[in-house]
Amino acid sequence: MATAQETHKLPGDLNDVPGWFWPLDQVLFSWFLERQERQGTRGDLLELGAYLGKSAILLGHHLRDGETLTVCDLFETEPPDAANRAEAAKSYSTLTRDAFERNYLSFHDTLPRIVQAVSSTITDEVGAGTCRFAHIDASHLYEHVRGDIGAARELLLPEGIVVLDDFRSEHTPGVAVAAWEAVLNRGLSPVCLSSQKLYGTWGDPEPVREELLAALRERDDIAVTVEEAAGHRLIRARAKSKRMRPPSLPSSRHPAPAPAPPAPRVDAGPAGRTAQPRPSGPRTPREHARRLALDVLPPVVTRAVRRYRAAQRAKAGGTAQSRP
């Protein structure tokens, strides 16, 4: 299981953000959101339970002018009941709002609207019938998930999409009970199932099912099956390999710095002194003649000439520095 990383390390792309938001679900989120955009469906986006921002970052890329992404999470706030406190201590002890905000601002100019409170308060913060997409990934306790599903139904548009996380994980039976109860008794129509998430709607599921099925069958990295259960037609999607292609998203606004240009090579001169690099380009005839003369003179004379020139250069430099 992933754990929260050091908050000062900014992510370079979405895969650098810790969390359990797998490439298949990134593909499905993007498909549902892009379909809404193609159809001109307008509305706000909602996420209950943010962890370190991986799915919220993707949602933020699909916001249009006039729309709002609302993220609701306790972060480091004390949970209201003992069962919730035990769950938070076990899975989210290192989660902080600061870590979420750092990650989100690595990809976006402004933060989403953040409600730092229990998810049961969300209907007081978001207007009924204003959202087109809701992702529920907060508590795993049955009573809380049941309430979150009821809130999503109230806040979504008639054809809005709700996504229920961890609906079939072995460690989250409360989510499974609440999810299938909503399907069997509360009017939720499942559209698609991934390994971790159930995608559904309280609107007419058939048009979106048909379009999604056609889109998934065009991909060679997703296995698709269709099943019937309790009068519902279920699309099951599964990644064929761990290297499936996630959607193309803008990279972080904080890319790794470009490597510095190599420093010019500097050779060590006699007695450890540093010799200045010779200017590039061919020597003049006068320079060439001087170099040739030094090469053919006896070593004793050559050293004397070089010492004399060095003394003259030092004298000229001191004179220049002493000028007003």
Side-chain angles (χ1 to χ4, degrees):
M1 180 177 290
T3 58
Q5 295 180 348
E6 297 172 328
T7 58
H8 67 270
K9 184 178 180 181
L10 297 177
D13 61 41
L14 192 62
N15 289 329
D16 293 334
V17 180
W20 304 272
F21 188 38
W22 310 120
L24 174 58
D25 289 302
Q26 295 175 33
V27 168
L28 292 171
F29 267 52
S30 297
W31 186 88
F32 282 105
L33 291 163
E34 289 167 4
R35 177 182 184 270
Q36 290 178 335
E37 292 156 16
R38 288 194 304 269
Q39 294 189 331
T41 302
R42 297 193 61 83
D44 295 332
L45 310 180
L46 174 65
E47 181 163 75
L48 304 182
Y51 192 51
L52 292 174
K54 195 166 189 173
S55 52
I57 289 166
L58 185 147
L59 291 174
H61 284 306
H62 291 276
L63 277 178
R64 292 169 293 176
D65 290 343
E67 295 180 336
T68 300
L69 167 60
T70 299
V71 171
C72 178
D73 200 296
L74 282 172
F75 295 112
E76 58 266 50
T77 302
E78 183 75 7
D81 57 72
N84 211 183
R85 285 194 292 273
E87 180 185 29
K90 179 179 179 181
S91 301
Y92 310 111
S93 59
T94 57
L95 173 61
T96 66
R97 178 167 174 170
D98 181 67
F100 168 85
E101 291 182 353
R102 284 173 181 264
N103 286 335
Y104 192 90
L105 289 176
S106 293
F107 296 84
H108 299 286
D109 293 328
T110 58
L111 288 169
R113 182 182 178 221
I114 298 176
V115 177
Q116 187 168 340
V118 292
S119 58
S120 59
T121 65
I122 198 62
T123 53
D124 298 326
E125 303 290 341
V126 177
T130 61
C131 297
R132 60 185 171 98
F133 191 95
H135 179 212
I136 298 178
D137 188 13
S139 173
H140 296 149
L141 304 176
Y142 165 77
E143 294 81 2
H144 297 173
V145 180
R146 189 179 193 282
D148 291 345
I149 293 172
R153 183 175 189 177
E154 178 181 337
L155 301 179
L156 280 171
L157 295 164
E159 302 297 325
I161 297 294
V162 64
V163 185
L164 308 180
D165 185 64
D166 278 332
F167 81 103
R168 66 178 191 179
S169 297
E170 61 182 11
H171 66 288
T172 58
V175 182
V177 173
W180 292 116
E181 177 189 57
V183 170
L184 295 174
N185 301 327
R186 304 175 73 187
L188 179 64
S189 295
V191 174
C192 179
L193 311 177
S194 71
S195 60
Q196 296 294 324
K197 300 182 188 290
L198 183 153
Y199 298 74
T201 181
W202 279 279
D204 182 2
E206 278 308 312
V208 64
R209 276 187 194 140
E210 289 302 319
E211 290 181 42
L212 176 61
L213 190 57
L216 294 179
R217 282 175 171 167
E218 291 180 356
R219 298 182 61 113
D220 59 6
D221 57 351
I222 298 177
V224 183
T225 57
V226 180
E227 297 185 15
E228 298 282 341
H232 295 280
R233 189 163 170 245
L234 308 176
I235 298 174
R236 294 177 54 215
R238 176 177 57 83
K240 288 185 177 180
S241 73
K242 294 182 179 179
R243 296 183 179 181
M244 72 164 294
R245 302 185 303 275
S248 178
L249 296 173
S251 298
S252 168
R253 299 189 305 117
H254 303 284
R265 181 177 177 177
V266 178
D267 297 323
R273 294 193 302 272
T274 301
Q276 297 299 319
R278 185 181 67 82
S280 60
R283 294 187 177 94
T284 65
R286 187 176 181 181
E287 289 174 331
H288 186 74
R290 285 179 176 175
R291 180 60 183 266
L292 180 61
L294 288 175
D295 289 341
V296 299
L297 285 173
V300 174
V301 178
T302 298
R303 287 195 293 271
V305 171
R306 285 177 172 162
R307 283 197 298 271
Y308 172 77
R309 286 182 177 175
Q312 290 297 105
R313 286 195 296 270
K315 181 179 179 181
T319 302
Q321 293 173 2
S322 65
R323 289 173 185 166

